[in-house]
Amino acid sequence: MMVAGIGSRKGVTVEDVLAAVETTLETHGLAMAALSALATAPLKQDEKAIFAAGHQLNLPVIIADAAAIEVASSGTISLSSLSQDLAGTPSVSEASALAVAGRGARLLGARTVLGPVTCAIAISGDAP
């Protein structure tokens, strides 16, 4: 399973989210078809653009469980004090991707920041 974790400022557009996902995939030499899902934190459950992006990409958007994000936070690479203060994790995108990708998941690299959106890719522990 390959998951794109999404973090954002309030009020982002679907174009912002799609651009961040595309840029992050390009950074890792991956195609959109490789993704299994988008993920984000409970703090972002009302951010319509993230769900609209999932709809356009025909991917589920999974709200990671807060407890799973807390556990996954130890595996993040990036540190945002704002994210830590608001969401309780050093990186919403990285922790969400790890939490949804499941046990043994790993990040392909640090999150990509593109304007008001961050995106990180995690693969499940059983992925090559």
Side-chain angles (χ1 to χ4, degrees):
M1 171 181 250
M2 187 174 296
V3 178
I6 308 294
S8 71
R9 293 187 195 130
K10 289 183 181 180
V12 296
T13 66
V14 66
E15 292 81 12
D16 292 332
V17 176
L18 292 170
V21 172
E22 290 169 6
T23 299
T24 305
L25 287 169
E26 287 172 9
T27 297
H28 298 293
L30 298 167
M32 193 68 74
L35 285 179
S36 306
L38 301 183
T40 195
L43 176 71
K44 295 292 164 191
Q45 66 187 1
D46 295 325
E47 199 61 53
K48 293 179 180 159
I50 295 172
F51 291 90
H55 181 73
Q56 282 194 23
L57 298 172
N58 199 30
L59 292 171
V61 177
I62 301 168
I63 303 296
D65 178 81
I69 287 177
E70 184 177 339
V71 170
S73 289
S74 65
T76 61
I77 299 168
S78 303
L79 173 60
S80 162
S81 57
L82 182 61
S83 177
Q84 186 66 56
D85 291 345
L86 295 177
T89 180
S91 171
V92 166
S93 56
E94 292 176 12
S96 296
L98 287 168
V100 170
R103 185 180 173 123
R106 66 179 174 85
L107 292 168
L108 296 184
R111 69 185 180 182
T112 298
V113 180
L114 190 64
V117 179
T118 63
C119 181
I121 307 293
I123 58 171
S124 62
D126 59 1

